Amino acid sequence: MMLYLYVLQNQWLVIALLAGAALVLLAALTYQALWLPRGVEKQSETIKVRGPLNFLRWLRSFMPWVIIILFGVCIAFTLFEVTHNHAIPPNW
């Protein structure tokens, strides 16, 4: 028995897998942040995030740019697929 994965027929499966991967990455980054030394915590309390540019700088301070781009592409793909397929009813 072979597993046939048709992306257009099983979009929920692909989105669930991407969401699961994103949650695993988020859990790994959160776990890593739990073990930072105390000095970094005091420094992070002084950082105030105001606006999208400061948010991206703050995010870049502890998260690699590859993961930021990956999240951006996943969000853009999801939004594109939802808006592209919102008027197409499923074939039952």
Side-chain angles (χ1 to χ4, degrees), residues 23-39:
L23 288 174
V24 167
L25 286 172
L26 182 67
L29 291 172
T30 303
Y31 181 77
Q32 179 186 7
L34 289 174
W35 294 102
L36 290 175
R38 292 284 184 182

Side-chain angles (χ1 to χ4, degrees), residues 41-70:
E41 292 174 2
K42 290 180 183 176
Q43 179 188 4
S44 68
E45 289 175 359
T46 61
I47 299 173
K48 300 294 182 199
V49 177
R50 299 174 200 269
L53 193 57
N54 283 343
F55 175 72
L56 287 176
R57 277 194 208 118
W58 170 75
L59 199 61
R60 178 67 179 104
S61 69
F62 65 89
M63 188 181 288
W65 63 270
V66 174
I67 296 177
I68 295 171
I69 291 175
L70 178 68

